[in-house]
Each structure stands twice: as structure tokens, then as C-alpha cells.
Amino acid sequence: MKNIFLFTILIMVNFVIKAQSIKGKVIDAQTKESIPGVNIYLPEIKKGVVSDSNGEYTLKFPRKGVYKLQVSFIGYDIILQEIEIDAVIFELNFELIAAVIETKEFVVSSVYHSSQDENPIEVIQFDAKQLQQSAAPTLMQSLSNIAGVSMIESGVGNSKPVIRGLSNNRVLVYSQGMPFDNQQWGDDHSLGLNELGIDKVEIIKGPSSLIYGADAMGGVLHFVSEKPAPVKMIKTYVGSKYFSNTDGYVNIFGVKGTREYFRFGLNAGYSMHSDYKQSSSIYDKQHLRVTNTRFNERAIRANIGFITKPWVTDITYSYSQAAIGIYEEQSFQNYDKAIMIPFQLTTSNVLSMENSFFFGESKVTLNLGYQNNDRKEFEDEHAHEAEEEHDGYEEVEYFKQKLIYNLQDTGALDMNLKTYNYDVKWFIPSLNKLDIVLGAQGKIQSNKNRGHEVLIPDAEITQHGIFSLFKFKLKKINFLSGVRSDIKSIKTYETEAEDHEEEGGHVEIESISTSFGAVNGSFGMTYQLDSAWLIRTNVATGFRAPNLAELTSNGVHHGALRYELGNVNLTTENNVELDLGTEFSREHVSIAISGFYNHINNFIYLESQDSIMDGVQLYSYTQTDANLYGFETTIDIHPHVMHWLHFETQYAMVVGKKSDGSYLPRIPGNSLLNTLKAEIKDFSIVKNPFVTVGVNTIFEQNNIDVNETKTLTYVLINASIGAEIVIGKQAFEFTIGATNLFDRKYFNHLSRLKQKGIYNMGRNFVVGIKIPFDIKQK
């Protein structure tokens, strides 16, 4: 074994010692002065360097070939360039042009790592800097400030994405090179991801089944992992935020380092929040705080990566555990953060391996993943059991808190979902400006119940798909098209659960065995009319097979406050969407507008029945055809005489209707989001200071489903200020912000607490600090 290990090391050394390299200098295009601290980065192999004090850099490559190169520095246009390395030493100098309007990095979600101008559908990028400066208490609330993106919420700590009116399993969440699955079919099941170790979130609006498969018919949230540290550097940070409304805090820590052919990273975070407070303008002061909307989370994320001549790999492990209270109609008005019954406890373990193999001019990527998601719901009966066993209030309270940290405890509802993912793509060498990708994706899942209540049965799910993707690039026109075939099989087992209507009785969920298939395609193009105008158009189909809950539910979903009844006769949802957009961009102004029309066959939704089951309203799953249409527009202005001033306005509209002309449920109201940001000049030890004011207008929603109520127009004012304080060589990043600055009393139309007369969060002040430490290795 020792000899085999040494032989392997010698082979790897042989791969890397023959590495090609480029070197050069980065200067300002106007002043011709050198620029230190510029990032020169290769996104396909996740390797980069930083220019030194003289603006010079050296970047080593593992092999000859064609690479995508990204050169970026704050205040300058990003250079996105394709280069071919065919010599041992290659010299490449860059001249950066000062930019008023920010340009975007390579789009990772496009498979090809292409620029924004090459994508038929605009991909919105929400980066780590925006996350750091956001005053919102959760990641999902930060993302909801993007036109066309909303959220279903059950309190501050429990929210999930809505893209153009579609949600749940119709919006795919992608992380660590694979779809992230934590039982997203439930209205009360939160997103399940945070900003830990995230470089940016890419939002794709519209059907993306061609690349991502089922559950991407509405759109995709792609969580892109943070870039490794530049070569020969170790970067560390600690940070903390305090939120006044929930008396909550978030503490984070991270470290990452990179050698020429090895990299590592570690991030950890912990957060705790008490019950959120409604607006103080509410007449009944005894109910300002919303009982049991408290939540806490702890998470860790670690990764290592290797680069050799034929192979690049990154292995990532992430763990998170979130305890989220379930609202109760009581009036505990305190700052206690200990979770009390009833509550959800969700634990996720995710292990992934992302690989790239190079064979001549070909490349094969292979992503493998394993996910273990454990979801529990603890109900009041646990406290009663504890009270019988331990006589006294203190004992009961201790029992409630103890449940959070003991994974061996069994919840009333206790589901374990294991998922094995694979994703393989073969990038065929270019043929006369034609790029071809052949791929296959799939997953194998098993769902097991361990609680005495069962909402969905034990089951095994398999899904496999193959696809081909074609990209043809001309001087001004880019075409992107493809076709895909998928099959999904579901097998459930007869599962026994308690029957609450008869004490000690049981009900059985019968087994089923069924399969669904679909063929989908996409065709899109971009046309660069001139240096200012760009036109995008795309037509794509998508699909989604019914999930376990829709097919087999038969029980009380306490988190959703209803009895849910599945329908084994449901068929596959299919949709076709047409997107058309145009963009105008000049030095001081950019305008983008995109419209869409989305027709969905066999749209699945919950319909209320005139029955009460186990003391709650009965809902059953049914289907109808549906249409959704609307548009988003964004205007970005930097006045010519005030380059430091940035004004952005976004407007989004979506209408959703059933085939009979009635309205679909959970369609957000139209929104107008205005942001004014001033980036002030440095002075003394204060670097990169900024002031931001946001005015978010959410218009009334009168187009409602029969089970909904209308929502009035409301306006929220948000603000934040921040800067880096540099003492010696050490920087301290400070942010002070506020959401709902004027303490407006309002209902979010998609809030699940709205039906209980519970308003959204009132005024909230946020104070944050982040301290980075950089160590340059010799």
C-alpha cells in the first residue's frame, strides 16, 4: 500500500510540474498606472491570483488548452475573455476601464460559464457583497428584493422562494453541484439554506428543465459556492449581526487557503432569534410579539480541492440544523429564544464531489452527491407526556428545550429523506463555432417515517434523464437549444398511522407503484444589435411529476394547519413559456425589460372542501390548466455629474389564472422597488463608505383565489450605511441598517399567518461587523 501511495504521488507531481503559466501586468486604461489587488480568476477550475503592488501577476495552468478568464476589480469593468494556452510561458497584459455601472461575472448556471450577453434568459446575480450589506434577517428575505422573486412565509425564520408566481417543487434549489431537496413540497418547509460559504445566488426565471430536469419548470435558485482564496493566500474572517426586532444575532466564521494545486475552506455559523414583533401601531399591545415564531440555526461547511493535469475535484460537506417554532394563538410577550413546543427540527447532511476530467480538447464533468434530510415536528402532546413523567413546570420547560439538541428523540411527525444524485456532462470539442454538450442526470431517493403520525408514506423514488445541448455562436447572434428525455418512478409502501378521530385507532395509506415520463426542449437566441442594444428571446418547455404529498397525503399537516388528502390519479404537469426581453446599456444608464407567457397543463393545487377532519379544514389535491403572464423591468442610472450616486428602480407584475378564468392562489401583488445608493469617497481611515435607501411599494392584490383574502397596498422604507475602518493594515467592515423604518403595519399577501390576522415584522434595526484577516504565504 505504501508503494502504491508513493507511485500515485509521483504521478500527480508529474502532472503538475509541467504546468503552463501566464504572467503580465494590470493597468488603468486611462492613467496607465498599475493596479494592485486585481483578481485574475479561472472559473472552470476555480483558481485565481491577485496582482501585486506593481500590478503584476503570475498564474499557472495545469495543462494546455482553452480557458475562460475573468479579471475584476471594484470600480472597473469586468473582463471576460477566452484564452488558449499553448506555450510554457504566455504573457498577457490587461487594461481596465473605469466603470460607472457595474458589470456582471461569468454566469455559472449556463453550463458554459458564459457572459450575460450570451444567455437567452437573463440570469440575475445576487452576490456576497449584497448579502453582507442587506439588513434582512434571512437570506430568503434578501432575495425577495429582486424583481420577480417573492416568498411564502410562516414567520421570519420560515420562508421559501416564489419565482413569477410559482413555488414549492416548481422552483428548484441548486447547491454544491446538485439539486437540494429537503421536502420542499410543504408550504411550511423553509428554504433550508443560508449564506454560509456562498459567493452569490443566481436566479433563473422560467423553465429550466433542459439543464436541471424535473422541478425546474418555474425557475432555479443556484447557490454558487464562494471562490477559493487566491493562490498562496489564507483568508479568514469573523463576523456578527444583531437584529433589534427579534433580539436576534448571527455569528459567523470562515477560513480558506490555496496552494498551487490544493485548496481548502471552512465556514461555521450560529444564529438565535426570539419571537418577532409586529408594528407598535397595533391597538392590542398584548399581542405585539407573535408567539413561537422564534428560531435558531447552526451550520458548518467544509471543502477541499485538488488540481492535477487531467483532473480537478472539489469535495464539500455541509451540515445544518434549524429549529423553527410553529405559531400558537397565545400571548407570551418575552425575549426567550429557547424553542418551545410545537416546533420543527430539520437536520441536513450533504456530501458532494464535483469533478472535471480533461481528455485532449474534451472535458467531462461528474458531480456525485449524498443528502440526508431529517424533518421532525414536535407537538403539544410531548409536553403532556413530560408533565406526567416529571411533576412540575420547570421539568416540562427543560424537556421542551432538550428536544432541540437530542437527535434521538422521535417527533410526532418524523420523516427521513435520503437522496443520491449524479450529474455527468461531456463537452465535445467545438466544431466550426458549434459547441455540443451531452449529459445525464438522476437521483435515487428513499423516504422513511419514524413518527407515530404519517403524512406521506414510506417510498422509493428514482429519476433519470438524458439531454443534449447545442450552442452556436456568430459575431452578433448566439443560439442555444437542446432536447431532454426524463422518466420518474415512484413506489410507496403500505404505511400505518394513527387515526386521531378514534383514540388508539389506526389508518393505513395504501401502496402505489407508478411512473411518469416527459420530453422537453428549449430554443433561444440573443442578438447584439449594436454596442448598446441587446435582444433576448427564448421558448422552453418544462415538466413536473406529482410528488409524494400530492399523490398520497392522508393526515393532518400541523405546520400548515390543515388536513391534506392526496390524489393518486394526478398526472404530470407540463408547461411551455415564451420569454422576450431587450436591454439598453450606456455608460450612465441601463434599461432592461422582459415579458413572459407561461401555459401549464394539469396544474396541481390544493382545493378546500366543505369538511372538517381532525378539527381542521380538509384540503384535497386537484388539477386544472393554468396561465401565468407578466413582465419585469429594471432601470439603473448613474448621473453623469455624480458618478458616486446610483439609482435603481425595478417593477414586476404577474397574473395567474385557471382555465375557468378564476385566479390561482398565492400570486404576489405587483411590486415597485426603488433603491438610491451613494458611494462616498474615502476619507482618513474610512474606506468605501456607502449610504443606501430603499422604497419598496407592494401594490394591492385583488386577484385572489376563493380561499384567500385581499391585500392592501403598503410601502416599506429600508436604509443602511456602512464602511470599512482601516487601522494600520487591519480592516473592520461595519454595517448599520433598518427594515420597515417607519414601523408600517402590513400583510404580505403570501404570509401564511395572514389568515390568523398576524401582521408582518415591524421596525427592525441591524448592526453588523465583519473582520477579515489575510495572510500571504511565501
Side-chain angles (χ1 to χ4, degrees):
M1 288 297 295
K2 181 179 179 181
N3 290 334
I4 293 174
F5 177 75
L6 291 174
F7 179 69
T8 303
I9 294 298
L10 287 173
I11 290 176
M12 293 181 69
V13 170
N14 183 59
F15 284 145
V16 300
I17 61 175
K18 295 181 179 180
Q20 285 72 31
S21 65
I22 62 172
K23 64 178 183 179
K25 189 172 184 178
V26 186
I27 63 173
D28 185 295
Q30 184 175 2
T31 66
K32 305 302 180 183
E33 295 180 355
S34 60
I35 308 176
V38 176
N39 292 288
I40 298 94
Y41 184 66
L42 305 168
E44 290 175 293
I45 62 174
K46 300 178 183 178
K47 183 179 181 180
V49 295
V50 175
S51 61
D52 61 20
S53 57
N54 297 316
E56 298 176 347
Y57 74 94
T58 300
L59 178 58
K60 294 183 180 180
F61 293 74
R63 61 179 181 85
K64 295 180 181 180
V66 177
Y67 293 85
K68 300 288 180 66
L69 184 70
Q70 180 174 290
V71 183
S72 60
F73 190 69
I74 296 175
Y76 290 86
D77 265 334
I78 293 178
I79 295 177
L80 306 177
Q81 185 172 330
E82 189 173 85
I83 61 172
E84 183 174 0
I85 303 299
D86 57 3
V88 176
I89 298 178
F90 184 79
E91 186 171 348
L92 189 61
N93 299 315
F94 296 102
E95 294 188 1
L96 298 187
I97 301 173
V100 178
I101 294 179
E102 298 176 356
T103 54
K104 296 299 182 181
E105 299 181 342
F106 275 118
V107 175
V108 176
S109 304
S110 66
V111 175
Y112 291 102
H113 289 89
S114 58
S115 66
Q116 284 277 18
D117 294 347
E118 297 176 24
N119 283 292
I121 297 178
E122 182 185 15
V123 179
I124 306 298
Q125 295 180 335
F126 195 86
D127 59 33
K129 180 182 177 182
Q130 292 170 288
L131 289 172
Q132 171 65 17
Q133 295 179 358
S134 173
T138 65
L139 171 61
M140 192 58 244
Q141 287 185 316
S142 296
L143 295 178
S144 65
N145 287 320
I146 297 172
V149 180
S150 309
M151 63 178 178
I152 297 172
E153 55 181 321
S154 305
V156 179
N158 193 344
S159 55
K160 61 195 310 173
V162 179
I163 298 179
R164 289 178 170 176
L166 297 178
S167 59
N168 291 27
N169 281 126
R170 298 180 185 90
V171 174
L172 185 141
V173 178
Y174 201 79
S175 177
Q176 295 182 213
M178 60 185 173
F180 178 77
D181 197 338
N182 68 337
Q183 308 276 19
Q184 276 298 307
W185 48 265
D187 280 356
D188 59 319
H189 299 172
S190 64
L191 177 65
L193 289 173
N194 53 46
E195 61 264 38
L196 205 63
I198 299 299
D199 179 61
K200 60 185 174 182
V201 181
E202 294 185 338
I203 299 99
I204 308 172
K205 303 173 187 176
S208 303
S209 293
L210 175 62
I211 298 176
Y212 295 100
D215 297 345
M217 64 183 299
V220 176
L221 289 183
H222 187 173
F223 289 74
V224 181
S225 300
E226 67 178 3
K227 299 182 182 71
V231 173
K232 295 184 180 180
M233 286 193 70
I234 295 177
K235 299 176 76 69
T236 304
Y237 72 88
V238 293
S240 184
K241 280 187 178 181
Y242 173 77
F243 304 87
S244 66
N245 185 286
T246 60
D247 189 35
Y249 59 83
V250 176
N251 296 322
I252 54 175
F253 162 81
V255 59
K256 57 183 178 180
T258 303
R259 302 291 299 209
E260 284 292 351
Y261 307 106
F262 171 76
R263 52 183 175 245
F264 74 91
L266 175 66
N267 293 273
Y270 184 72
S271 64
M272 290 194 75
H273 295 262
S274 59
D275 300 338
Y276 83 84
K277 186 169 65 174
Q278 303 174 82
S279 169
S280 58
S281 63
I282 294 176
Y283 177 77
D284 186 356
K285 303 301 181 182
Q286 296 299 317
H287 293 83
L288 287 181
R289 293 201 171 273
V290 183
T291 304
N292 208 24
T293 54
R294 58 194 67 181
F295 65 99
N296 62 53
E297 181 183 28
R298 47 187 174 182
I300 189 169
R301 182 184 177 108
N303 67 278
I304 58 172
F306 302 92
I307 299 177
T308 68
K309 185 175 181 179
W311 175 40
V312 177
T313 185
D314 284 279
I315 301 171
T316 305
Y317 167 73
S318 62
Y319 163 85
S320 67
Q321 185 182 72
I324 303 174
I326 297 175
Y327 165 73
E328 279 196 322
E329 295 183 7
Q330 300 181 28
S331 57
F332 297 135
Q333 300 292 302
N334 58 51
Y335 289 91
D336 193 1
K337 297 180 179 61
I339 300 296
M340 63 182 188
I341 290 174
F343 70 93
Q344 301 178 33
L345 180 65
T346 305
T347 306
S348 293
N349 289 275
V350 182
L351 179 64
S352 65
M353 186 178 186
E354 300 174 72
N355 304 277
S356 294
F357 301 94
F358 300 93
F359 307 98
E361 296 182 2
S362 294
K363 181 178 76 170
V364 174
T365 62
L366 174 63
N367 297 343
L368 301 172
Y370 167 74
Q371 303 175 60
N372 188 312
N373 180 263
D374 193 82
R375 178 177 292 278
K376 302 177 181 180
E377 289 185 8
F378 295 93
E379 301 171 11
D380 289 333
E381 62 190 74
H382 289 85
H384 300 324
E385 293 170 1
E387 194 168 10
E388 293 175 2
E389 183 178 350
H390 306 283
D391 185 20
Y393 174 79
E394 292 183 359
E395 294 281 358
V396 176
E397 289 303 306
Y398 172 76
F399 178 82
K400 292 179 180 180
Q401 297 178 33
K402 178 174 72 72
L403 286 173
I404 303 171
Y405 304 105
N406 188 351
L407 297 182
Q408 302 306 314
D409 287 328
T410 300
L413 186 66
D414 194 337
M415 299 179 291
N416 182 262
L417 181 67
K418 293 181 180 179
T419 307
Y420 299 87
N421 295 88
Y422 70 88
D423 183 324
V424 59
K425 298 184 182 74
W426 176 26
F427 293 76
I428 299 174
S430 297
L431 302 170
N432 295 324
K433 299 182 180 180
L434 175 65
D435 294 326
I436 302 175
V437 177
L438 304 178
Q441 296 167 330
K443 66 181 179 182
I444 300 173
Q445 284 186 317
S446 66
N447 184 75
K448 299 291 184 182
N449 288 279
R450 296 180 295 205
H452 59 265
E453 291 184 11
V454 175
L455 186 60
I456 59 175
D458 295 349
E460 293 179 356
I461 302 169
T462 60
Q463 182 174 311
H464 305 283
I466 57 174
F467 67 91
S468 57
L469 190 64
F470 307 93
K471 181 181 179 182
F472 188 65
K473 187 175 182 179
L474 298 175
K475 186 176 182 180
K476 290 188 175 183
I477 304 177
N478 292 294
F479 295 96
L480 185 64
S481 64
V483 64
R484 180 187 181 104
S485 177
D486 286 87
I487 186 168
K488 181 176 182 178
S489 299
I490 299 176
K491 182 180 181 180
T492 70
Y493 299 93
E494 190 172 280
T495 307
E496 190 175 86
E498 285 191 1
D499 184 354
H500 293 274
E501 292 186 337
E502 181 181 347
E503 186 176 352
H506 293 82
V507 61
E508 291 183 352
I509 301 177
E510 295 183 358
S511 62
I512 64 170
S513 181
T514 185
S515 62
F516 305 90
V519 176
N520 290 278
S522 176
F523 178 82
M525 62 171 288
T526 63
Y527 178 43
Q528 190 77 53
L529 283 136
D530 53 35
S531 60
W533 286 96
L534 175 72
I535 295 176
R536 307 176 194 266
T537 184
N538 190 74
V539 59
T541 63
F543 83 104
R544 186 182 72 87
N547 58 45
L548 275 178
E550 294 163 341
L551 290 169
T552 63
S553 289
N554 189 2
V556 178
H557 194 174
H558 293 277
L561 303 175
R562 62 190 177 217
Y563 194 105
E564 296 178 3
L565 188 63
N567 182 352
V568 295
N569 297 315
L570 296 175
T571 58
T572 302
E573 290 183 345
N574 296 279
N575 75 321
V576 57
E577 178 170 314
L578 174 65
D579 287 85
L580 180 63
T582 183
E583 295 179 17
F584 173 82
S585 181
R586 286 295 191 190
E587 182 180 1
H588 299 283
V589 62
S590 68
I591 302 172
I593 183 170
S594 57
F596 66 93
Y597 182 85
N598 187 4
H599 175 75
I600 304 176
N601 289 321
N602 306 316
F603 182 85
I604 301 172
Y605 68 102
L606 274 169
E607 185 175 53
S608 65
Q609 306 297 319
D610 295 329
S611 300
I612 300 296
M613 295 284 288
D614 287 358
V616 292
Q617 183 72 39
L618 171 65
Y619 282 77
S620 62
Y621 285 98
T622 187
Q623 288 184 297
T624 186
D625 292 344
N627 296 295
L628 295 100
Y629 53 90
F631 72 95
E632 299 103 24
T633 183
T634 301
I635 302 174
D636 199 344
I637 300 174
H638 282 266
H640 178 66
V641 294
M642 296 180 288
H643 288 177
W644 50 271
L645 190 63
H646 169 89
F647 175 74
E648 182 181 77
T649 182
Q650 304 176 72
Y651 184 83
M653 183 202 81
V654 59
V655 176
K657 289 187 176 183
K658 303 173 190 175
S659 58
D660 62 3
S662 61
Y663 291 99
L664 288 172
R666 296 190 308 204
I667 301 297
N670 300 345
S671 63
L672 177 63
L673 313 176
N674 294 302
T675 303
L676 186 66
K677 183 175 182 180
E679 296 177 326
I680 308 167
K681 290 184 178 180
D682 298 349
F683 58 94
S684 185
I685 62 173
V686 179
K687 310 296 181 183
N688 302 317
F690 70 90
V691 178
T692 302
V693 177
V695 181
N696 297 350
T697 304
I698 311 300
F699 295 97
E700 63 182 4
Q701 179 55 289
N702 296 322
N703 302 329
I704 57 175
D705 179 62
V706 65
N707 298 312
E708 295 181 309
T709 56
K710 297 179 180 181
T711 308
L712 299 177
T713 299
Y714 59 89
V715 179
L716 302 179
I717 309 296
N718 307 317
S720 61
I721 60 173
E724 294 180 26
I725 308 297
V726 181
I727 302 175
K729 293 184 178 181
Q730 180 60 55
F732 301 84
E733 300 176 8
F734 291 95
T735 303
I736 301 175
T739 56
N740 195 1
L741 185 61
F742 292 103
D743 205 24
R744 176 67 187 270
K745 180 175 65 175
Y746 73 99
F747 290 117
N748 175 0
H749 185 70
L750 302 184
S751 171
R752 295 181 56 255
L753 299 182
K754 175 190 171 188
Q755 61 182 326
K756 298 292 183 179
I758 303 299
Y759 293 96
N760 287 80
M761 178 186 282
R763 182 189 295 115
N764 178 47
F765 290 105
V766 180
V767 179
I769 181 173
K770 184 177 180 181
I771 308 173
F773 304 92
D774 293 348
I775 303 172
K776 190 170 184 179
Q777 300 170 297
K778 294 184 179 180

